Amino acid sequence: MFRIPETHPRYKSLMKREKIVAGIEAGITSKQGLIAHGRGEAFDYLIGERTLPAAFRATEAAAALLLTAKKPVISVNGNVAALVPERVIALSELLNAPLEVNIFYWTEARVIKIKEHLEQHGATNVLGAKADARISGIEHARARVDYEGIYSADVVLAPLEDGDRCKALIAMGKKVVTIDLNPVSRTSKYATVSIVDDIERALKNLIFMIKEQKKNGKGKLLEDYDNKGNLRAVINEIAERLKDEELR
Ligand code: PTJ
């Protein structure tokens, strides 16, 4: 990894780039993952590289939804595996939910490498290698899922997802939680709860909130959670921030 001094004003952001590059070199992340990451960075710049109040509210709703799920599953792609292996594993343990490797730019070698990478970080329940079921209505490789995993889950956490599959999972009657820095992506619009935040920050908050809700015996899903209303709030918060931005 390229050494970035901690004093650099953009240290955190540059370190994320290094993780993505290392992911590509290790055969975990797709090359296209670099482009997707760049798109995320651009939105994060507009957001101000911090969690917006509306994103906190979405994360609280996501925590409640995941806690009350009967069979939650966490979908992991090449970017997620490179950026936050420890955090998805911690979440999987907290929720007693399997991780499922599910990638868009599918190769068997990359599925195996991601699985091994997660196991090296301590994961014990990683699905995705079987791919013995298909989600109907999508033609690409993300349709390939494990019957015991995403196929039969009631709630799927699918960060950095693509819109088609999010829509197809909802059509199957599942609830989908997504994490996506783009508040107007198709995924953000289709999901049950969309957290418009960077994956590292969002998972840190989600883990904290799940622990809190477990402690306080909460975790009741707000049945009337309004995802589109939350996305509108996110867009307003971004717009307000940009209006206040001082151009020196
Ligand atoms: O490993 P694979 O083959 O499954 O490929 C993974 C990527 C991410 C390359 C693939 O799913 C893809 O092409 O995704 P998209 O359609 O570009 O969507 C990725 C979304 O994630 C975009 O809306 C980005 O803004 C968003 N995003 C990127 N980086 C982050 C992010 N959201 C949260 N945190 C990030 N760090």
Side-chain angles (χ1 to χ4, degrees), residues 30 32-33 36-37 39-40 43 77-79 83 102-105 110 142 160-161 179-182 197-199:
S30 66
Q32 294 86 343
H37 185 77
R39 176 149 54 147
F43 279 104
N77 66 24
N79 285 45
L83 288 169
N102 183 277
I103 55 178
F104 184 82
Y105 298 101
R110 203 151 67 83
R142 274 224 167 124
L160 283 64
E161 178 65 34
I179 300 168
D180 188 334
L181 279 159
N182 179 357
D197 203 359
D198 167 68
I199 180 112

Side-chain angles (χ1 to χ4, degrees), residues 76-97:
V76 179
N77 66 24
N79 285 45
V80 173
L83 288 169
V84 280
E86 297 88 356
R87 288 186 190 171
V88 281
I89 293 166
L91 191 61
S92 143
E93 284 168 5
L94 260 181
L95 294 168
N96 195 19

Side-chain angles (χ1 to χ4, degrees), residues 42-214:
F43 279 104
D44 208 20
Y45 217 90
L46 299 179
I47 286 171
E49 295 177 313
R50 45 143 199 160
T51 302
L52 295 168
F56 267 116
R57 292 198 295 279
T59 311
E60 264 178 347
L65 181 55
L66 287 162
L67 263 178
T68 49
K70 288 197 184 71
K71 202 172 174 197
V73 174
I74 303 164
S75 182
V76 179
N77 66 24
N79 285 45
V80 173
L83 288 169
V84 280
E86 297 88 356
R87 288 186 190 171
V88 281
I89 293 166
L91 191 61
S92 143
E93 284 168 5
L94 260 181
L95 294 168
N96 195 19
L99 300 170
E100 180 163 339
V101 180
N102 183 277
I103 55 178
F104 184 82
Y105 298 101
W106 189 88
T107 66
E108 193 173 14
R110 203 151 67 83
V111 173
I112 292 166
K113 282 204 170 146
I114 294 174
K115 186 174 188 294
E116 285 172 357
H117 174 70
L118 293 168
E119 285 167 351
Q120 277 156 15
H121 278 81
T124 52
N125 192 3
V126 186
L127 308 175
K130 258 201 213 159
D132 53 356
R134 280 192 85 83
I135 298 168
S136 62
I138 27 177
E139 307 264 308
H140 51 73
R142 274 224 167 124
R144 306 162 56 105
V145 288
D146 272 25
Y147 182 82
E148 273 309 313
I150 290 173
Y151 191 84
S152 52
D154 60 340
V155 179
V156 182
L157 171 62
L160 283 64
E161 178 65 34
D162 68 273
D164 286 358
R165 193 172 72 135
C166 182
K167 196 176 176 188
L169 291 171
I170 297 278
M172 285 172 83
K174 300 180 193 306
K175 295 202 160 71
V176 178
V177 175
T178 191
I179 300 168
D180 188 334
L181 279 159
N182 179 357
V184 291
S185 70
R186 289 175 313 135
T187 306
S188 291
K189 289 182 200 165
Y190 293 139
T192 317
V193 179
S194 305
I195 304 173
V196 182
D197 203 359
D198 167 68
I199 180 112
E200 281 188 3
R201 295 194 303 266
L203 286 185
K204 187 173 175 218
N205 292 333
L206 190 58
I207 289 168
F208 174 81
M209 286 175 193
I210 288 175
K211 283 184 181 163
E212 285 299 294
Q213 291 189 16
K214 266 190 164 179

